[in-house]
Amino acid sequence: MIQLSRFPIRTLKDAPKISDNKSTSYLLQAWYIRQEMAWVYNYLPLWLKVLKNIEQIVREEMNSIWAQELLLSSLWNKESWEKTGRWDTVDVLFKLEGSGNKEYALNPTHEEVVTPLMWEFIQSYKDLDSMAVYQFQTKFRNEARAKSWILRGREFIMKDLYSFHKNLEDLDIYFEEVRKAYVRVFDRLWIWQDTLYAFASGWAFSKYSYEFQTKLEIGEDNIYVCSDCWQAHNDEIVWEKFECVNCKSPKYEIIKTSEVGNIFKLWTKFSTAFGLNYLDEKNAKNEVVMWCYGIGISRLMWVIAEYMMDEKWLVWPESIAPASHYIIVIWEENLAKAIELAKDLEKSGKEVIIDDRFKTNFGQKAADADILWIPNRIIISPKTLELGWCELKWRLEQEGKIIKM
Ligand code: ATP
Ligand code: MG
């Protein structure tokens, strides 16, 4: 339970106007975020709650497919990045110098860390029955593109999952499990109905990779959707002329989106670099096959904010709102009642904010409930107590009602 009298929050009367990005204005107004410098943001307490709620949904779905959570380091040695040939080829790699003139990378992704780490564990085919690990990690990328600055950070949070397999058949089975888990994640976050599953370039790794792209006006990707079978394609793989990879149709429409997740086949690129092998049933040495699967957690937060907002406010899916209930207490003598109610709500898994700032007037409290956009608003006053208990209003409905609890 949060009691606002002891909580740092300073909302703004108006939403500051910045670029074309309305949700960011709302987030600044509501004291969810503050920008530290271009591409870098501070996450204030309520925004952190949203982040943790999203992470928890992703965590539950990753655990449901037997992936194990770990936390890999951000700082990594140059030698590993040289081993894979990426020290000089990854253009967004942040490089820094430590004591004794030693150079390090601030990891933009973690294949160079996770592959040698699994080397110690994976020895035989018996160690490879669905072996997958994942983390929530801050990634660092020296991004040059200036567009969509709010969606593209130089420091951002990603969920990255790596899976290790004996062969392509095993890999394909697990791929399908992850794909379905991703669908469940985006469904629980209320964006699946407008999220496309697109074919994209596999870059150095394979012919295609697969992306989850959410429809968004301010998104920086152009997705070509086949007019006949609705297969989506990232424009990277549409060269001179569009031809659907699924049904070969030449007809398409272009939709603006933002990429919230993707899946890359790494094959044996990293196993080869780090000698990640296993012994099969006949004691022959084979290379481990790897895939990686990302979800851009911090970008996803902004995509949800931008996708859900209306003309006036942010709107949160109840599954990730920083709290489910916002209780306004008008008189100090009713605070005990409010706390009692909050405790009851918490027993059924709800999260509650009590606005007990008694030096703040009602108008300001009601405005803050609106600006933060907490799904349910409750008012407790001598009048509501006299009528029943409190007034409850669900934000997606116009009228509140007096309820007995
Ligand atoms: P993009 O095509 O947007 O540059 P990417 O293909 O480089 O992203 P990955 O390296 O696979 O993406 O990262 C996984 C996810 O992390 C992406 O799907 C995206 O949601 C998110 N992401 C990537 N780069 C950034 C960034 N600079 N800031 C915020 N989120 C990012
Ligand atoms: Mg991409």
Side-chain angles (χ1 to χ4, degrees):
M1 163 186 340
I2 290 170
Q3 287 182 237
L4 287 191
S5 59
R6 294 157 184 232
F7 193 84
I9 184 154
R10 175 88 52 224
T11 58
L12 308 177
K13 194 157 171 281
D14 300 304
K17 284 219 171 4
I18 45 133
S19 70
D20 58 347
N21 193 310
K22 228 166 145 187
S23 59
T24 304
S25 302
Y26 292 155
L27 290 168
L28 289 166
Q29 182 186 12
W31 222 67
Y32 277 114
I33 54 167
R34 280 293 174 268
Q35 189 178 14
E36 179 63 25
M37 53 185 166
W39 312 83
V40 180
Y41 299 88
N42 291 314
Y43 287 25
L44 300 176
L46 291 177
W47 188 234
L48 184 64
K49 286 212 168 276
V50 178
L51 171 78
K52 294 290 167 202
N53 291 342
I54 295 177
E55 279 187 0
Q56 186 53 25
I57 287 176
V58 176
R59 179 176 289 117
E60 283 167 21
E61 295 303 341
M62 295 305 109
N63 291 350
S64 81
I65 52 172
W66 304 106
Q68 301 304 324
E69 186 172 353
L70 43 58
L71 182 59
L72 303 171
S73 81
S74 288
L75 207 55
W76 205 237
N77 63 80
K78 179 182 180 182
E79 294 70 34
S80 290
W81 280 89
E82 283 180 328
K83 235 180 206 163
T84 57
R86 297 211 289 182
W87 179 261
D88 293 313
T89 53
V90 172
D91 55 353
V92 294
L93 191 64
F94 269 112
K95 299 170 182 173
L96 42 98
E97 207 182 282
S99 62
N101 291 337
K102 230 175 129 42
E103 284 184 286
Y104 301 89
L106 267 180
N107 289 320
T109 176
H110 276 77
E111 288 83 3
E112 274 76 0
V113 184
V114 78
T115 317
L117 193 68
M118 294 313 273
W119 188 87
E120 196 180 322
F121 173 73
I122 297 172
Q123 279 153 21
S124 106
Y125 67 97
K126 294 178 212 148
D127 302 323
L128 283 168
D129 288 335
S130 176
M131 176 49 57
V133 291
Y134 74 98
Q135 63 174 340
F136 297 96
Q137 242 283 11
T138 299
K139 307 288 183 200
F140 297 89
R141 291 188 187 177
N142 201 356
E143 299 273 6
R145 274 183 284 176
K147 229 178 133 243
S148 296
W149 47 275
I150 195 82
L151 297 171
R152 186 172 291 283
R154 289 210 171 122
E155 173 183 335
F156 63 97
I157 299 166
M158 196 201 286
K159 184 283 303 172
D160 43 336
L161 166 69
Y162 303 89
S163 72
F164 304 84
H165 307 276
K166 295 193 280 287
N167 50 42
L168 298 181
E169 292 81 63
D170 281 14
L171 184 153
D172 280 341
I173 294 169
Y174 196 69
F175 166 89
E176 210 24 47
E177 300 231 1
V178 182
R179 194 187 61 76
K180 285 193 213 143
Y182 271 34
V183 172
R184 291 196 296 273
V185 165
F186 297 128
D187 193 38
R188 289 174 68 180
L189 297 173
W190 294 15
I191 56 169
W192 175 242
Q193 67 276 14
D194 271 325
T195 299
L196 301 166
Y197 179 62
F199 279 64
S201 163
W203 299 116
F205 302 116
S206 60
K207 190 163 182 206
Y208 297 121
S209 65
Y210 309 89
E211 296 176 342
F212 290 82
Q213 294 272 2
T214 304
K215 293 181 190 171
L216 209 62
E217 277 295 304
I218 61 154
E220 56 182 355
D221 285 347
N222 288 311
I223 295 296
Y224 285 61
V225 179
C226 172
S227 309
D228 289 320
C229 74
W230 306 112
Q231 175 61 53
H233 312 65
N234 189 310
D235 60 1
E236 302 156 350
I237 59 161
V238 179
W239 291 300
E240 297 91 64
K241 194 153 102 344
F242 177 80
E243 186 187 69
C244 174
V245 294
N246 184 39
C247 75
K248 308 270 178 270
S249 166
K251 287 184 279 167
Y252 63 90
E253 69 174 294
I254 297 177
I255 294 179
K256 283 230 149 290
T257 60
S258 179
E259 179 189 320
V260 288
N262 70 12
I263 301 181
F264 262 100
K265 292 184 187 181
L266 305 173
W267 303 112
T268 55
K269 179 180 161 75
F270 295 94
S271 337
T272 307
F274 292 103
L276 182 64
N277 302 309
Y278 71 95
L279 295 174
D280 67 16
E281 288 91 332
K282 299 193 185 92
N283 238 12
K285 216 182 210 187
N286 290 280
E287 280 183 319
V288 172
V289 187
M290 284 173 64
W291 274 41
C292 75
Y293 319 73
I295 292 183
I297 300 288
S298 45
R299 179 182 297 173
L300 183 58
M301 295 172 74
W302 266 294
V303 167
I304 295 169
E306 182 75 22
Y307 175 82
M308 293 293 299
M309 70 183 180
D310 63 21
E311 280 307 304
K312 278 173 87 177
W313 320 109
L314 292 165
V315 176
W316 294 121
E318 219 161 329
S319 54
I320 59 161
S324 56
H325 292 72
Y326 189 105
I327 303 180
I328 298 179
V329 203
I330 299 187
W331 296 102
E332 197 160 355
E333 54 265 36
N334 301 138
L335 179 59
K337 284 267 183 208
I339 291 174
E340 192 186 313
L341 176 58
K343 282 188 179 153
D344 270 356
L345 288 164
E346 282 179 345
K347 274 188 209 137
S348 53
K350 308 290 185 197
E351 287 216 49
V352 185
I353 294 175
I354 299 181
D355 195 340
D356 56 349
R357 296 171 296 174
F358 297 110
K359 291 182 199 108
T360 305
N361 64 35
F362 178 78
Q364 179 64 44
K365 292 177 179 176
D368 282 348
D370 282 342
I371 292 168
L372 295 173
W373 212 93
I374 305 302
N376 299 285
R377 191 182 76 186
I378 290 176
I379 297 175
I380 294 185
S381 69
K383 193 174 129 215
T384 62
L385 283 167
E386 198 179 293
L387 291 172
W389 215 128
C390 59
E391 183 193 313
L392 173 72
K393 185 170 178 289
W394 192 46
R395 291 298 307 272
L396 295 173
E397 275 168 8
Q398 290 301 325
E399 294 299 318
K401 53 181 183 291
I402 295 286
I403 51 169
K404 293 195 191 328
M405 301 184 96

